[in-house]
Amino acid sequence: MKSFGWTYARRISQSFCLALFLWLFLQTEYRGVDQLPYPVSLLFRIDPLAALADMLAPGSFGWALLWPALLVLLLTALFGRFFCGWVCPLGATLDGCGKLIGRGGKSFSPGWRRVKYLLLIALSAATFFGVQLLGLFDPLAIFLRSLTLALYPAYNFALNKLFDFSYQYDVPVASDAYPFFRDNLMAFHQPVFELGLFTLLIFLLILLAEKLEQRFWCKNLCPLGALLGLCSRYTLLQRTPKTLCADCQKCSSDCRSSAVTTHGYRRSECLRCMDCTGFCPEERVIFTLGATPVSGAGVDLERRGVLGAMACGAMIAPTVRIGPVTAEQNPYLIRPPGAVAEEEFLQRCVRCAECMKVCIGKALQPALTQAGPVGLWTPLVAPRIGYCEYNCTLCGQVCPTGAIAPLKLAEKQKNVIGLAVFDKDRCLPFAKGIECLVCEEHCPTGKKAIVFEEKDVLVDGETRRLKFPKVVDKLCIGCGICETKCPVEGASAIRIINEGESRRARSAEVAGPYG
Amino acid sequence: MNALDRRSFIRNSIHSAVATAALGSLPLLDLLAVPAYAAETSPLAVRKGKDIPKLVQETIAALGGMEQFVKPGEVVVVKPNIGWDRTVELAANTHPEVVKTVVQLCLDAGAKQVRSLHRTCNDERRCYTESGIRKALEAMDSERVSLEYMDRRAYQEMQIKGGKAFEKWEFYKPVLEADRLINLPIAKHHSISQLTLGMKNLMGVIGGNRGRMHSNIAESLADICTVLPCDLTLVDATRILVANGPQGGREEDGRATETLIASPDIVAADAYAATLFDLKPEQIPTIVAGAKRGLGIMDLKRMQMV
């Protein structure tokens, strides 16, 4: 293979993939059609870690959604970790930002290379026993989560301030540009997320790790890299020479993934960036297809390390699962419509934040501890911030792992995510003898789930006839618009709790509270 | 019948507010304020029919044509009800054909620009789309016509002179600044105000925490109507919502009444519309408050049917 073109080809591929994923990210928004026209969550449909989570979760594997991830594994078996070098948007970001941050040249003990494999093994073992934490470390989830929860909101905030300024002082071009930006390049409503700063911090730490060494994250920590590395142990794309050349050794210092060491070339560590075909002064490096026997194969994981990681992972599961049931501890643990039963939900959700990005009503927020010890970054409906739009089914459309099932509109409108409950100490008619009924006005079910009763009450010594709102439990689906729109200042006087949600297993009562 | 000139009305209001503030609050100065709109009689056009464009044309023609209300070169705000994410047949939003025909008549009368907008209750993108109004106005393919999202920066606090529920509130500046305001409500059931008609429809162009108005809806609406005088109110009762309002959601809650009611007097139009629900105007506190405030007449006998 001819040498010089490969580096450019790789850079073009990285730029293209990054641009594609950013473009899909921008399309992850309602733009006038109920069905999203593009496969916006493509990034996770090609994500083998998402597929692994799906595979180990109860229920059948989501072939229809996740077959591209298996294709990536197959291609990796043939060509090695090309995904890391050519496709991964986090890798591209690290390559792109490395120079800005200033790259460190520290050489870490080879033991560090093992960490990612041990992490993958531990996470897989935990997942196998029912506690899925792959999403916390999945580079694609980290990338999209950081975009959704931190970078994009900040970008929107800055642009909005800029446009506000131009509006105030009537800057001609900027004012005209605003509608175009709003409809194409910005979020329609300023995104608001509670974990923005926390998420950003983790993203920045990964970026700053470039200061230690190039692609520190990818080489040492990334569990997706580890999975792809395991798959590429017997890859057909072979590199020659297989060892450092005695007269040069440039590979040992210049290889971005430190795949070429004094122990030889480690194909499972090679990101297939192809730089060595360019920087080799003698143009000795070539990649060819062929099944030659493995030499100096990969990182030595050591039996002790593997077993230790497995044991750690396996222990996480029971330790977490003996805790109290979170949904009973926290009545405000409300999941989006179509979410599967909580235990399965936690096993399926890869914390990619696609649902939070697409949510039209700003209802979805990432959990910190509200969903229990392993619910970090999973989506919660936070109705005081935003409500679940009655005619919208977008979150189910974007979820790549079936944690939120795609529901048809009619199904979604019957899917109960919670129940509205009045706080009669604060609700105006009950607490102050003042009429209100804003909740009733906004209640979206065709036959309203909030109705009113007229009663005579004594207020300050005079009898008043007032309308008192009341929730019809059987009709309420917990969309939360009442909580969002409640005009009482601060906390709403009507709140959604997770009582009666459709996804909870219960005996089929004919009568009774949930009959 | 002279339509109120909106620009001078607002200018006068602001001037008198400034004067009042500058000279102290002597009760005498109230006399300087522009007298509220109160007439002995108000023309009212009521027409029935199935062909909506034709119906709109006939109804407006009965009042002397759109030229009575819109002069060449003027900026007109046409304010339909687009508050809910509901389709046409659910009778929660003004019929797109009504909106389109009124906008067309404004263009024909020589309007420089016709702007439509609503501060919606559901997501505005969904409301504009599902109501069918986006499609109807885009089909007109005219640069003089726009369906606009409310700009969060364009609200302006206004003093409400003689406000009974509120002394001040935020109003949408482009509506205040327009030459003409044409109000296009749909007639609907509403639990707190009983009915939502023309006066209630103007809640769609104000800012603030609107839910707070519900505790005294009648006087609150009369308050905002004193700041937002409509040149023409045309109540869309081609189909009305009789239960589960104001957003409905069930076709069985709609009634095809195939009626349009138009008047330069917002109270008169609302008062007549109430009769479609077998209610008397006196039974609707908002209408009563409007009439008492001098915003128009509610006595059906005093109306001049045209």
Side-chain angles (χ1 to χ4, degrees), chain A residues 152-162 186 190-191:
Chain A
Y152 190 61
Y155 153 86
N156 273 283
F157 184 79
L159 272 185
N160 272 322
K161 285 287 164 206
L162 200 69
M186 286 168 71
Q190 168 68 43

Side-chain angles (χ1 to χ4, degrees), chain A residues 196-207:
Chain A
L197 194 61
F198 174 63
T199 313
L200 181 68
L201 210 68
I202 288 166
F203 185 69
L204 289 181
L205 282 178
I206 291 174
L207 281 189

Side-chain angles (χ1 to χ4, degrees), chain A residues 333-341 345 355-356 358-361 363-364 379-383 386-399 402-418 477-480 496 501-503:
Chain A
L333 169 59
I334 301 155
R335 298 295 192 190
V340 292
F345 181 82
C355 53
M356 299 181 228
V358 84
C359 180
I360 191 170
L364 295 182
L380 289 178
V381 178
Y387 64 94
C388 178
E389 191 73 78
Y390 187 61
N391 291 332
C392 168
T393 57
L394 294 175
C395 55
Q397 290 176 39
V398 300
C399 181
I404 308 172
L407 298 182
K408 293 203 177 71
L409 184 59
E411 297 168 333
K412 186 259 171 167
Q413 291 175 340
K414 290 207 161 53
N415 190 281
V416 178
I417 61 172
I477 56 171
C479 73
I496 308 298
E501 45 180 2
S502 299
R503 67 200 186 109

Side-chain angles (χ1 to χ4, degrees), chain A residues 63-344:
Chain A
W63 287 103
L65 280 174
L66 288 164
W67 65 265
L70 302 182
L71 187 67
V72 167
L73 286 181
L74 185 72
L75 289 175
T76 304
L78 295 177
F79 301 113
R81 282 172 68 181
F82 75 96
F83 186 88
C84 306
W86 291 61
V87 180
C88 177
L90 187 63
T93 309
L94 293 176
D95 284 346
C97 295
K99 276 220 178 89
L100 282 174
I101 296 161
R103 282 205 181 97
K106 287 208 177 111
S107 64
F108 281 77
S109 127
W112 273 92
R113 313 308 299 264
R114 236 182 275 149
V115 176
K116 62 176 179 293
Y117 291 103
L118 300 181
L119 186 62
L120 174 72
I121 291 167
L123 291 174
S124 304
T127 307
F128 185 77
F129 289 105
V131 171
Q132 188 265 115
L133 297 167
L134 289 163
L136 300 186
F137 299 93
D138 180 348
L140 306 181
I142 290 171
F143 175 78
L144 206 88
R145 209 157 58 206
S146 307
L147 261 186
T148 301
L149 304 181
L151 301 172
Y152 190 61
Y155 153 86
N156 273 283
F157 184 79
L159 272 185
N160 272 322
K161 285 287 164 206
L162 200 69
F163 281 120
D164 283 2
F165 179 83
S166 72
Y167 179 85
Q168 202 177 348
Y169 296 101
D170 215 9
V171 182
V173 182
S175 307
D176 297 339
Y178 176 66
F180 175 80
F181 269 79
R182 180 197 59 203
D183 295 340
N184 297 288
L185 299 173
M186 286 168 71
F188 190 83
H189 301 289
Q190 168 68 43
V192 178
F193 291 110
E194 284 171 331
L195 295 189
L197 194 61
F198 174 63
T199 313
L200 181 68
L201 210 68
I202 288 166
F203 185 69
L204 289 181
L205 282 178
I206 291 174
L207 281 189
L208 284 176
E210 284 291 286
K211 255 189 144 27
L212 300 174
E213 63 173 338
Q214 193 172 15
R215 291 259 198 163
F216 178 87
W217 162 265
C218 314
K219 280 190 273 194
N220 303 318
L221 299 176
C222 179
L224 178 58
L227 180 60
L228 297 176
L230 291 178
C231 289
S232 52
R233 286 213 155 187
Y234 305 99
T235 167
L236 295 181
L237 191 62
Q238 305 278 339
R239 179 190 186 267
T240 327
K242 299 207 180 307
T243 52
L244 279 178
C245 308
D247 57 341
C248 172
Q249 319 249 319
K250 199 169 164 60
C251 292
S252 74
S253 61
D254 282 20
C255 173
R256 73 180 59 222
S257 58
S258 313
V260 192
T261 65
T262 44
H263 302 295
Y265 166 68
R266 300 180 295 188
R267 61 179 88 184
S268 59
E269 297 300 299
C270 174
L271 306 183
R272 297 296 191 263
C273 73
M274 305 298 214
D275 276 3
C276 49
T277 59
F279 66 61
C280 176
E282 303 295 325
E283 294 189 15
R284 282 179 193 143
V285 180
I286 51 165
F287 283 86
T288 48
L289 280 174
T292 47
V294 183
S295 66
V299 174
D300 180 14
L301 295 180
E302 295 175 353
R303 186 177 301 164
R304 190 183 299 169
V306 173
L307 290 175
M310 273 186 176
C312 281
M315 268 165 59
I316 292 175
T319 320
V320 167
R321 294 174 77 178
I322 54 168
V325 178
T326 316
E328 286 170 6
Q329 297 298 304
N330 174 15
Y332 304 115
L333 169 59
I334 301 155
R335 298 295 192 190
V340 292
E342 185 63 16
E343 205 175 304
E344 183 183 345

